[in-house]
Every structure is written in C-alpha cells, then in structure tokens.
Amino acid sequence: MIHKKMEEAINKQINAEMYSAYLYLAMAAYFEANDQPGFASWMKVQYQEELTHSLKFFNYVHERGGKVVLTAIEAPQQTWDSPLHAFEETLKHEEYVTSLINDLVDTAIEVRDHTTNSFLQWYLDEQVEEEATASNILAQLKMLRESKDSLYLLDKELGLRVFVDATQEK
Ligand code: OFO
C-alpha cells in the first residue's frame, strides 16, 4: 500500500502532467493559427506524450493500492510572441517539471518508499530527454533568427516527428 504522503504528491503530479499536455496543446493551437503546421504537429505529439506521462502515474497509484484524485487543470497561456518565445517557455517548463520529479524523489526517500523511488527513475531519464530536445530546437531557432526560409524548413522537419509511447518501451 502506497504511503498517503506519496499518494498525494503523485496525484499532484498527475495534474502537472495534464497541465503540460494542455500547455503544449495550446502551443499547437498557436502554431496552427500562425500557419506553421509542422510546429503544430510537433506540439501535438508533445501533448500526446504528456498524456502518457500522466497515465503512467495514474496506473502506478492503482497498482500500489492507492486512490487517484483528479483536480482542475489550470488554463495555460494561449499565445506567444514567436516560435522562439514558445520554445523558450517549453524549455523553462520542462526544467520546472524536472524540479517537480526531483521533489517526488525527495518525498519517496523521506517516507522510505524505495519502490516509488525506483519507479521515478524512468521520469528522471525522460526529463533529460525532454530538456535536451527543447534546448536543441531552441538553439536552432536562435541561429535562424527570423529568417522566413529557414523557419519554413524547420517547420517541415518538425512536422516529421511521430508519436511513440515511450511509457510502453522502458
Ligand atoms: Fe511530462 O515531461 Fe514534459 O512536462
């Protein structure tokens, strides 16, 4: 049976992952409105990933005999100044999520829940990827500046991303 404090902390994280999904879906809408279908498609894949992150926590709480409590998801920001701005915010957000996962590990250690600590290692690894990907796209956007031709090519490239449910792989 999962420790109450751990259960509450994971329930909060389920909400945080749903918020991440919502944020990236809002970014997808922003890019759709901006006529950048590749960026929009990339964000929709990101949205799908976040849903699986949330669901992995959801399933885990039940596996450990706990109870999932779903709470209201905060409305995300709806618009950004540019693709560069959106990816600055993406990286900032992922760094924040990494700090949340670190807090969960702290809680697992505090309540001596070694099983949850082990479970959370998947998320720690995932956050390394999440930050690296956002940082890489941000670096490209900084190089391109506002060059319309280059943005067009990057849009095409980002549109190639396909959703893979990594929670089923590792
Ligand atoms: Fe769930 O990794 Fe992004 O937020």
Side-chain angles (χ1 to χ4, degrees):
M1 187 86 176
I2 195 162
H3 191 287
K4 209 64 207 152
K5 189 165 179 181
M6 195 75 250
E7 179 190 279
E8 280 169 14
I10 295 180
N11 268 315
K12 269 192 166 170
Q13 190 62 28
I14 289 173
N15 182 285
E17 300 289 347
M18 293 300 288
Y19 174 79
S20 296
Y22 226 30
L23 174 66
Y24 295 132
L25 194 60
M27 286 187 180
Y30 158 75
F31 283 119
E32 293 281 6
N34 236 9
D35 290 327
Q36 289 172 309
F39 280 96
S41 170
W42 193 95
M43 283 297 172
K44 279 186 251 178
V45 171
Q46 190 66 16
Y47 153 78
Q48 284 177 287
E49 273 202 3
E50 298 301 348
L51 292 180
T52 65
H53 294 173
S54 185
L55 196 59
K56 186 175 172 75
F57 277 119
F58 176 99
N59 291 336
Y60 179 74
V61 169
H62 289 126
E63 265 174 43
R64 295 288 310 281
K67 185 172 172 13
V68 165
V69 178
L70 299 177
T71 51
I73 306 162
E74 194 189 322
Q77 189 174 333
Q78 307 289 332
T79 190
W80 291 268
D81 299 337
S82 61
L84 178 74
H85 183 217
F87 272 89
E88 277 169 353
E89 294 295 309
T90 297
L91 179 59
K92 206 157 78 179
H93 182 68
E94 287 307 326
E95 287 168 347
Y96 170 65
V97 172
T98 300
S99 79
L100 296 180
I101 303 291
N102 282 329
D103 290 347
L104 284 175
V105 173
D106 287 348
T107 303
I109 291 167
E110 184 196 324
V111 302
R112 302 193 70 250
D113 184 347
H114 304 301
T115 312
T116 298
N117 191 353
S118 162
F119 169 77
L120 289 169
Q121 300 309 303
W122 184 89
Y123 285 91
L124 290 176
D125 293 344
E126 181 67 14
Q127 283 311 119
V128 173
E129 269 182 50
E130 293 274 75
E131 286 190 29
T133 308
S135 164
N136 184 278
I137 297 171
L138 183 57
Q140 291 188 61
L141 284 166
K142 280 182 179 161
M143 265 188 308
L144 305 179
R145 299 277 165 190
E146 293 300 312
S147 151
K148 293 247 183 297
D149 290 355
S150 307
L151 274 176
Y152 175 78
L153 292 176
L154 183 58
D155 187 67
K156 287 263 169 264
E157 186 191 322
L158 294 184
L160 298 176
R161 184 186 187 194
V162 287
F163 171 64
V164 176
D165 185 354
T167 65
Q168 302 299 318
E169 287 183 339
K170 303 178 210 165

